[in-house]
Amino acid sequence: MATWASIDLQDANSPMMEQLMFFYDHTMMILTMISILVSYMMVTMITSKLSDRFLLEENTIETVWTIMPAITLIFIALPSIRILYMMDECVSPMMTIKTIGHQWYWSYEYSDFLNMEFDSYMIPTKELESDGFRLLDVDNRVILPMDTQIRILVTSADVIHSWTIPSIGVKVDGTPGRLNQSSFLLNRPGLMFGQCSEICGANHSFMPIVLESVEVNQFIDWLQKNYD
């Protein structure tokens, strides 16, 4: 999860987030090279008193500074398009979970398991335990098995919400009257935190998301407890 001193992306906990981080590093490297080159040229032009009369009107140099940016954009666009197609694909999900946004809490339905459903509210600061996370912990966490292809369906009961967990690279808008879907796979066990990423009213900042990734056996035990 992000801490107060963190300025970088959160650690990836899904293959999709790993790809997004690779693309981020790829793009930042290109932007850094462009910034250094442009800065060098600006400093050189400002500090030099000389001028080249052939640069004032020259078709060759204009062709070069038109083609080079186009090639640079291609190097950025191709990996971006690949990731967009990967995010849209939902290949043979092993389980499906539905989440519904409300003002201002989330409700979840495990439709594959006898329609088990529950609401998830933020724990107020006064009721928070000493090891809890302020404004992030909830009373009912989303428990999901690791190494399992999971499909999530997102909708809303009132206004537009957005179900977002940065560490797995998922951000799905919850729109009233519409089902949006995404898929992900959890690499390892642990807690992942997220928040509604669409301004949805007065308590928009107080509807966090907590996803707990566990091993398959622990997930089955949790299901049996809830059935009992």
Side-chain angles (χ1 to χ4, degrees):
M1 62 176 291
T3 59
W4 67 272
S6 176
I7 60 173
D8 204 355
L9 298 173
Q10 296 184 22
D11 292 338
N13 198 15
S14 72
M16 183 55 61
M17 189 58 191
E18 290 176 357
Q19 292 295 320
L20 289 171
M21 293 181 74
F22 292 151
F23 175 68
Y24 170 80
D25 294 338
H26 169 77
T27 306
M28 289 304 298
M29 181 59 68
I30 293 176
L31 293 178
T32 302
M33 293 170 60
I34 293 174
S35 300
I36 293 173
L37 178 61
V38 171
S39 300
Y40 170 76
M41 294 179 64
M42 290 180 63
V43 170
T44 303
M45 293 176 64
I46 292 173
T47 56
S48 175
K49 297 181 179 180
L50 303 176
S51 62
D52 189 343
R53 62 189 180 92
F54 294 108
L55 284 179
L56 300 179
E57 186 176 351
E58 178 63 31
N59 291 332
T60 303
I61 192 65
E62 290 182 3
T63 302
V64 170
W65 68 44
T66 301
I67 293 178
M68 290 301 292
I71 294 174
T72 303
L73 290 176
I74 291 174
F75 275 100
I76 295 176
L78 290 180
S80 175
I81 293 173
R82 172 176 166 270
I83 292 177
L84 284 175
Y85 274 101
M86 289 173 61
M87 294 177 70
D88 285 340
E89 290 183 3
C90 189
V91 182
S92 302
M94 298 181 67
M95 65 171 289
T96 299
I97 180 174
K98 181 180 178 182
T99 177
I100 305 171
H102 304 265
Q103 289 181 316
W104 288 272
Y105 65 96
W106 298 98
S107 61
Y108 298 93
E109 298 178 6
Y110 288 71
S111 53
D112 294 334
F113 306 98
L114 299 180
N115 289 326
M116 183 180 70
E117 49 185 79
F118 57 86
D119 296 332
S120 179
Y121 289 86
M122 185 192 76
I123 301 177
T125 303
K126 294 181 180 179
E127 302 175 11
L128 199 63
E129 297 181 2
S130 58
D131 59 346
F133 297 96
R134 179 177 172 272
L135 301 183
L136 284 178
D137 252 328
V138 295
D139 53 359
N140 292 311
R141 295 172 176 173
V142 184
I143 311 295
L144 292 175
M146 58 181 287
D147 294 329
T148 303
Q149 191 67 37
I150 299 166
R151 175 175 58 185
I152 183 165
L153 305 176
V154 183
T155 188
S156 172
D158 34 54
V159 299
I160 299 177
H161 300 276
S162 186
W163 196 86
T164 307
I165 297 184
S167 59
I168 60 175
V170 172
K171 182 179 185 293
V172 187
D173 285 342
T175 308
R178 179 175 178 177
L179 277 178
N180 294 324
Q181 77 169 9
S182 183
S183 63
F184 56 89
L185 184 144
L186 302 170
N187 286 340
R188 60 183 182 273
L191 283 178
M192 285 143 280
F193 294 87
Q195 291 175 302
C196 177
S197 297
E198 189 74 38
I199 298 177
C200 56
N203 291 333
H204 157 71
S205 301
F206 305 105
M207 48 184 303
I209 304 159
V210 182
L211 190 156
E212 184 174 353
S213 173
V214 298
E215 294 184 358
V216 176
N217 293 335
Q218 293 176 316
F219 176 70
I220 295 173
D221 292 340
W222 176 76
L223 287 176
Q224 291 176 343
K225 278 185 181 179
N226 281 274
Y227 284 157
D228 297 338

